[in-house]
Amino acid sequence: MGIDFKNLLNSKQYDAVRNYEGPVLILAGAGSGKTRVIIYRIAFILEKGIPQKAIMAVTFTNKAAREMSIRIRELAGRHLRNLTISTFHALGSKILRKSIHILGYRPNFSIYDQQDKLALLKDLAHEAGHKHDSIDLYAVSQIFSGIKTGHSTWTAFTEQYEDLYKAYNSHLKLYNAVDFDDLIVLPLRLFQEHKDVLAEYQKQFKYFLVDEFQDTSLLQYQFIKLLAGHTKNLCVVGDDDQSIYSWRGANYENILQFEKDFPHFQEIKLEQNYRSTGKILLAANQLISNNKNRKGKKLWTGTEDGELIQFCIVENEKEEGSYIAEQVKAIKLKHKVPLSQFGVLVRTNSLTRSIEEAFITYHIPYKVSGGMSFFQRKEVKDIIAYLRIIANPDDDVNFLRIVNVPKRGIGRKSIEYITHIATEKSCSLFSAMSAIRHAADSEINKKIKTEIIEFINTIEYYKQKFFSRKKLAETLRGLIDHIDYWGYLVQEYKKGNTAKWKYMNVEGLVNSLADYEDDPDNLDPNLYAYLNRITLLTQDDNQDEENEEKVNLMTIHSAKGLEFTAVFLAGVEESIIPHVRSMSEDESNREEERRLFYVAITRAKKHLYITACRQRRKKGKVEEVQISPFMEEIPKDLINVCEHEDEVTQEDAEDYFKKMRLGKGL
């Protein structure tokens, strides 16, 4: 290939590429060219005459694996069909396709996804005598996943599901199926119990690379350690400062374990950042230095210092959304930044609603990446469906969505009968239902007819309430209480936190309507206009608009591995980041929250804007909130404190930080 490695890489990158024999730990800071190093390292090994089939590179996502494959082929100038670049799960599946018969399975096994898994659990729970509404199947599936992967152990609470766990695994085998956890667990079992299988792979593979090593689970590390144990040519690339997935089994301490298992390893630090300006990196370095359990590393850049970080304090989430939208427009105009180079990051999806509404108001195209738009969430769409039926009872699509939500016993047979009447009378389903209410004879039994009458009365009553055009949000809250949507969520999602989270989204919709009717620019706030406004949010969901420039709105977790010219971090407040859960648990959780904030900061190339509210709606009430304590860990001389309308004086800025230190909020 004749690649000039020395001149194409900086000195540390070149060291990481050319030292390909033996164990190597590459600590790759954010924006330091990690993927580039992995690609060039593979190319370097190939240039040394090592056959393709002897090299294995493992990463976490199919997207990352595809990108690596494309880039190494372009660099090498050949197809490299025998080179293994794979995710852990794809590699596990390939091993099982060849050798699963040794464990008593047939080769043509099925891989169960989450829905398949839940369907099996539902059947088994029913057979075991559990009532369908007495068990949170998703929560149980998560418990089983933790047990199977060794991430958790049985507790006094979870041991009630031990028999169900045994039945689940035995039925998987009976059905010749595996779940995603098995794609790691079973290959590892093969290697541990059948040394000849392990020896076969060790004979083929001689050089191993693991990307995003800080995100590997204990089992994944054991898996790759067994494979690489014979040659010890194991290169792991990661950054403990970006370990943010402990909740799904990632174990950043694998870096420490690697050092113990391979005591003669080489450590190479990639600290030169090619992404962010000097001020952004100084802020990130100072923030993360507060974590005790980390490897020492300090990012630097040879480019300009850049502008100050803008920290804007706004009154509430509505102003926060407006401020972000205004700044997006201003930066786009002034610096010619395309919309696709804007990243708006939030700690949780529940914070996107006010930002989405602002983007609609300001005519800014956006997409919610790695998550679902607020207005597309099931619980939000359920309540919107009620509003659409109240506004237009002849809307059959929304009628079918909510006629039995919450459950009223109006099942398939009743719907079929109502549909028959509607067809016969050439009318809508709601009109057909109204006809049944007044009919002396019908095929609907008395109990269901009572429910039908109650449903119709509810729609008609709230139609009158909404059309009075007074207190729209209060009326909506009354409707939600009337249909007992909270009770429905509790029945559907036995795990209390899930129901609470979904109900918070419902509250978010009420708050959205309250903001709409309180907006002085809305001279005639009414239900029709509000619903039309929401329609603008979702009208293009089914259209292919990949080529249209859009702002990226996402959680910080979803932003990992990405970069944007301009980044906005919204809701940087105590109880949001660090999340309220981390404040009541051990220090390791707080350190992970700090790493999450570090990841967010280091997504920005040139422009970094941080926002916090003085007040935020929580559960229908307006509460005073405090700025995140992480903001105090960023040097003041790197931050320009401002308000939505006007910049504050330096004296005011000093006062803000003083209040933060005293824990008084603003």
Side-chain angles (χ1 to χ4, degrees):
M1 290 182 286
I3 301 170
D4 188 358
F5 293 95
K6 195 165 187 177
N7 288 318
L8 290 171
L9 303 164
N10 68 39
S11 60
K12 288 294 184 181
Q13 289 175 333
Y14 182 55
D15 285 345
V17 164
R18 67 188 178 93
N19 289 296
Y20 68 98
E21 297 282 355
V24 178
L25 169 61
I26 301 175
L27 292 172
S32 62
K34 169 180 67 70
T35 304
R36 181 181 179 84
V37 164
I38 293 173
I39 297 305
Y40 276 77
R41 185 180 172 91
I42 294 172
F44 192 89
I45 294 172
L46 289 171
E47 280 211 348
K48 290 298 178 181
I50 307 299
Q52 301 171 38
K53 66 179 183 179
I55 303 170
M56 175 189 292
V58 189
T59 187
F60 276 84
T61 66
N62 291 316
K63 180 180 178 182
R66 282 194 301 270
E67 180 186 352
M68 281 188 194
S69 297
I70 292 169
R71 288 178 63 177
I72 185 60
R73 286 171 190 153
E74 289 175 347
L75 185 62
R78 49 194 176 119
H79 290 299
L80 302 175
R81 292 189 177 90
N82 296 319
L83 179 67
T84 297
I85 298 180
S86 171
T87 64
F88 274 101
H89 288 93
L91 181 61
S93 175
K94 188 175 181 180
I95 292 169
L96 291 179
R97 290 290 174 199
K98 186 174 182 180
S99 305
I100 198 170
H101 64 280
I102 298 172
L103 299 177
Y105 292 79
R106 297 184 299 282
N108 61 334
F109 64 89
S110 300
I111 300 174
Y112 274 18
D113 63 16
Q114 183 64 21
Q115 293 306 314
D116 297 326
K117 186 176 180 179
L118 292 176
L120 175 56
L121 283 174
K122 184 177 181 180
D123 290 342
L124 295 175
H126 179 72
E127 288 180 13
H130 293 281
K131 292 183 179 179
H132 75 280
D133 59 352
S134 68
I135 183 170
D136 184 339
L137 294 176
Y138 179 78
V140 169
S141 77
Q142 295 302 101
I143 291 169
F144 288 1
S145 181
I147 296 295
K148 183 175 286 191
T149 59
H151 184 53
S152 57
T153 57
W154 294 111
T155 66
F157 172 74
T158 61
E159 64 185 9
Q160 63 181 304
Y161 301 118
E162 278 194 78
D163 288 341
L164 185 59
Y165 178 71
K166 292 174 183 176
Y168 168 71
N169 285 309
S170 65
H171 277 74
L172 274 179
K173 192 165 186 180
L174 178 66
Y175 298 154
N176 199 44
V178 300
D179 59 25
F180 274 88
D181 294 322
D182 287 324
L183 296 179
I184 304 299
V185 171
L186 294 181
L188 182 58
R189 182 179 154 196
L190 272 170
F191 290 166
Q192 291 171 332
E193 297 178 1
H194 302 274
K195 300 302 181 184
D196 56 325
V197 176
L198 175 61
E200 180 183 348
Y201 287 93
Q202 288 181 333
K203 183 179 179 181
Q204 175 184 343
F205 294 105
K206 305 297 182 184
Y207 295 87
F208 303 84
L209 297 96
V210 181
D211 186 22
E212 302 287 8
F213 186 61
Q214 77 282 347
D215 293 335
T216 53
S217 68
L218 181 60
L219 290 188
Q220 288 166 335
Y221 173 59
Q222 291 174 348
F223 174 77
I224 206 71
K225 185 180 77 171
L226 281 173
L227 283 169
H230 65 311
T231 66
K232 295 184 171 51
N233 294 328
L234 174 58
C235 174
V236 297
V237 186
D239 181 5
D240 54 337
D241 288 336
Q242 295 187 71
S243 179
I244 58 174
Y245 295 115
S246 66
W247 47 275
R248 69 181 189 194
N251 183 10
Y252 77 94
E253 292 184 353
N254 280 343
I255 291 177
L256 301 177
Q257 191 60 47
F258 173 85
E259 295 176 353
K260 293 177 183 177
D261 293 335
F262 300 92
H264 302 296
F265 75 99
Q266 297 179 71
E267 179 178 291
I268 301 169
K269 294 181 181 179
L270 304 181
E271 297 173 297
Q272 183 174 357
N273 178 283
Y274 292 92
R275 176 187 299 156
S276 306
T277 61
K279 287 187 173 65
I280 291 172
L281 292 183
L282 282 172
N285 285 333
Q286 191 59 43
L287 171 80
I288 203 63
S289 69
N290 289 280
N291 273 7
K292 297 174 183 176
N293 300 311
R294 64 184 290 262
K295 305 277 290 182
K297 183 170 13 67
K298 197 168 186 179
L299 299 180
W300 62 276
T301 180
T303 59
E304 76 279 5
D305 280 345
E307 61 187 38
L308 291 171
I309 295 167
Q310 302 298 311
F311 179 38
C312 187
I313 300 108
V314 297
E315 191 62 29
N316 51 43
E317 55 264 57
K318 183 182 178 184
E319 278 197 22
E320 182 175 51
S322 296
Y323 172 77
I324 291 172
E326 289 167 5
Q327 294 305 314
V328 166
K329 285 208 156 189
I331 294 170
K332 182 178 185 297
L333 182 65
K334 182 178 179 181
H335 299 286
K336 303 295 187 284
V337 177
L339 290 179
S340 61
Q341 276 300 303
F342 286 89
V344 181
L345 314 184
V346 293
R347 175 62 180 85
T348 64
N349 271 318
S350 60
L351 297 173
T352 67
R353 190 265 303 171
S354 58
I355 301 170
E356 289 187 60
E357 291 197 326
F359 284 165
I360 291 299
T361 300
Y362 285 79
H363 306 290
I364 298 173
Y366 72 94
K367 62 180 179 180
V368 180
S369 305
M372 188 180 292
S373 167
F374 175 83
F375 293 97
Q376 287 296 307
R377 294 168 194 163
K378 180 188 180 303
E379 58 275 13
V380 175
K381 289 189 75 172
D382 283 347
I383 304 304
I384 290 174
Y386 269 95
L387 295 179
R388 293 196 187 284
I389 287 297
I390 288 168
N392 175 23
D394 295 329
D395 183 341
D396 284 356
V397 171
N398 283 291
F399 172 87
L400 289 171
R401 182 180 185 94
I402 50 91
V403 68
N404 202 39
V405 174
K407 290 181 172 61
R408 301 182 173 89
I410 304 175
R412 180 175 56 82
K413 289 185 177 179
S414 298
I415 295 297
E416 287 176 352
Y417 181 69
I418 294 169
T419 302
H420 170 72
I421 298 297
T423 302
E424 193 175 72
K425 294 180 174 291
S426 298
C427 65
S428 68
L429 295 174
F430 187 86
S431 296
M433 183 181 268
S434 298
I436 292 169
R437 172 179 58 172
H438 299 296
D441 58 331
S442 74
E443 296 180 13
I444 301 292
N445 67 44
K446 186 176 180 180
K447 182 180 179 182
I448 295 177
K449 189 170 184 178
T450 300
E451 292 289 350
I452 286 174
I453 293 171
E454 167 62 22
F455 176 73
I456 293 172
N457 288 343
T458 297
I459 299 301
E460 291 180 345
Y461 172 77
Y462 281 96
K463 189 180 185 74
Q464 292 179 348
K465 292 274 287 182
F466 275 110
F467 284 5
S468 71
R469 303 193 178 191
K470 297 177 181 178
K471 299 180 179 178
L472 299 179
E474 185 179 309
T475 301
L476 178 56
R477 185 168 280 111
L479 170 63
I480 293 165
D481 290 341
H482 180 84
I483 63 175
D484 190 20
Y485 196 77
W486 165 247
Y488 165 72
L489 290 175
V490 170
Q491 286 297 315
E492 289 293 303
Y493 308 97
K494 292 300 180 181
K495 189 82 170 178
N497 287 340
T498 303
K500 287 178 183 176
W501 183 82
K502 289 181 174 292
Y503 197 73
M504 282 175 59
N505 288 333
V506 172
E507 284 284 353
L509 182 66
V510 177
N511 295 340
S512 167
L513 184 55
D515 290 342
Y516 164 77
E517 67 176 330
D518 292 342
D519 189 339
D521 291 335
N522 291 331
L523 301 178
D524 182 24
N526 62 80
L527 185 60
Y528 282 119
Y530 178 71
L531 290 174
N532 288 339
R533 190 169 184 269
I534 289 176
T535 301
L536 292 173
L537 293 167
T538 57
Q539 64 179 347
D540 296 325
D541 282 353
N542 296 321
Q543 296 179 19
D544 182 11
E545 298 181 351
E546 288 302 312
N547 295 324
E548 183 179 340
E549 286 286 319
K550 293 183 179 182
V551 173
N552 301 277
L553 176 56
M554 63 182 69
T555 64
I556 301 171
H557 282 98
S558 298
K560 178 142 185 308
L562 303 178
E563 59 182 38
F564 304 97
T565 301
V567 166
F568 291 82
L569 308 182
V572 180
E573 301 150 20
E574 193 166 26
S575 298
I576 293 179
I577 186 164
H579 196 276
V580 64
R581 287 194 302 267
S582 72
M583 298 166 69
S584 59
E585 298 175 0
D586 61 54
E587 181 63 21
S588 65
N589 292 310
R590 192 175 185 85
E591 289 206 351
E592 179 153 333
E593 289 291 305
R594 188 178 284 111
R595 291 195 294 271
L596 190 62
F597 195 44
Y598 171 84
V599 166
I601 289 173
T602 54
R603 299 311 94 195
K605 294 180 183 179
K606 293 184 177 181
H607 312 283
L608 178 58
Y609 286 71
I610 299 173
T611 59
C613 296
R614 290 189 177 88
Q615 300 177 331
R616 190 173 288 277
R617 284 184 186 267
K618 296 181 179 179
K619 298 180 180 178
K621 297 179 181 178
V622 175
E623 296 183 6
E624 299 290 326
V625 294
Q626 295 184 359
I627 294 170
S628 168
F630 291 156
M631 286 304 300
E632 193 178 354
E633 297 175 4
I634 299 176
K636 290 182 292 182
D637 60 352
L638 299 177
I639 299 175
N640 176 52
V641 181
C642 63
E643 291 187 324
H644 184 193
E645 294 296 335
D646 303 299
E647 290 193 1
V648 297
T649 65
Q650 186 61 35
E651 185 179 340
D652 289 333
E654 294 282 351
D655 185 51
Y656 283 128
F657 283 103
K658 182 179 179 181
K659 287 180 179 179
M660 286 163 56
R661 285 193 294 274
L662 295 174
K664 293 182 178 179
L666 295 176

